[in-house]
């Protein structure tokens, strides 16, 4: 009987360890509350784009459209943005997600105004309506690392705004771009 109990002990420990691993992997990969907070961003939007080349000058204004949808099983919000005409088009693709393990929101952005992708991470505030997500990118003029901030505001009706803050050629952060998304039909 003692041999049977001793032989069963390692199996029980292995089963407990496997159950803990299974639970951790399920929590890591299953969409939950973090993803649900992004739901208002899903849909078709009219977009007002303001771009500041210099903080003391007025912004350049344009309009566009965007479609945002869930991809990969409601884990990531994919946004496809298009603005301007064929001679002055601004097009971008963005992804926003909640990382269940890191407990952070993440965003990736790429557009036809650069050849690199920018990766942001940060947290939504307690209300779930705004976030400051930070990134570092190389300044195209100096080649040195430069901080960026993506300031996101979400309202329950789906309207949301993305502000891109950076230093440009200066040493002080300023709003470089703002994209205001209004649900189509509102």
């Amino acid at each position: 009987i003692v041999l049977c109990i001793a032989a069963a002990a390692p199996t029980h420990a292995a089963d407990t360890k496997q159950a803990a691993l299974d639970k951790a992997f399920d929590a890591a990969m299953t969409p939950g509350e973090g993803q649900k907070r992004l739901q208002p961003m899903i849909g078709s939007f009219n977009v007002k784009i303001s771009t500041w080349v210099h903080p003391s000058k007025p912004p350049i204004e344009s309009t566009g459209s965007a479609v945002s949808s869930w991809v990969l099983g409601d884990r990531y919000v994919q946004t496809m943005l298009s603005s301007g005409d064929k001679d002055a088009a601004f097009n971008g693709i963005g992804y926003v997600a909640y990382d269940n393990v890191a407990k952070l929101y993440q965003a990736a952005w790429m557009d036809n105004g650069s050849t690199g992708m920018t990766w942001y991470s940060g947290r939504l505030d307690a209300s779930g309506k705004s976030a400051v997500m930070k990134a570092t990118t190389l300044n195209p003029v100096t080649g040195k690392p430069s901080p960026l901030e993506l300031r996101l505001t979400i309202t329950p009706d789906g309207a949301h705004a993305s502000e891109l803050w950076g230093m440009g050629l200066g040493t002080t952060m300023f709003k470089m771009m703002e994209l205001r998304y209004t649900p189509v039909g509102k």
Side-chain angles (χ1 to χ4, degrees):
I1 293 181
V2 173
L3 290 175
C4 291
I5 293 172
T11 302
H12 177 68
D15 289 346
T16 302
K17 194 176 212 178
Q18 186 61 48
L21 281 171
D22 291 347
K23 184 177 179 181
F25 281 114
D26 283 346
M29 70 181 202
T30 303
E33 289 305 312
Q35 289 76 20
K36 286 179 186 173
R37 288 179 151 197
L38 299 174
Q39 182 61 39
M41 296 176 69
I42 301 301
S44 296
F45 301 90
N46 294 315
V47 185
K48 179 182 175 192
I49 303 167
S50 302
T51 306
W52 288 264
V53 178
H54 190 276
S56 66
K57 306 241 188 245
I60 299 166
E61 304 281 345
S62 62
T63 59
S65 61
V67 176
S68 297
S69 56
W70 287 110
V71 295
L72 299 175
D74 295 351
R75 287 172 175 82
Y76 307 92
V77 175
Q78 177 188 53
T79 299
M80 305 294 284
L81 172 72
S82 179
S83 72
D85 58 30
K86 66 179 180 170
D87 295 327
F90 176 70
N91 299 301
I93 302 170
Y95 291 90
V96 178
Y98 180 72
D99 183 330
N100 291 347
V101 177
K103 308 285 188 237
L104 289 172
Y105 284 88
Q106 300 171 334
W109 180 258
M110 60 208 97
D111 58 47
N112 64 336
S114 69
T115 57
M117 291 188 277
T118 306
W119 299 86
Y120 300 88
S121 66
R123 289 182 163 68
L124 281 174
D125 68 0
S127 73
K129 296 177 183 171
S130 66
V132 175
M133 303 171 80
K134 298 186 179 213
T136 300
T137 187
L138 293 179
N139 182 302
V141 176
T142 66
K144 294 182 180 178
S146 183
L148 291 175
E149 289 184 3
L150 175 63
R151 299 178 185 180
L152 177 65
T153 307
I154 305 170
T155 61
D157 69 354
H160 55 285
S162 296
E163 296 178 2
L164 176 63
W165 287 70
M167 296 196 317
L169 295 176
T171 58
T172 304
M173 296 283 272
F174 72 96
K175 185 172 14 176
M176 300 169 71
M177 182 177 257
E178 177 181 82
L179 294 97
R180 294 207 160 272
Y181 296 79
T182 305
V184 171
K186 291 192 179 184

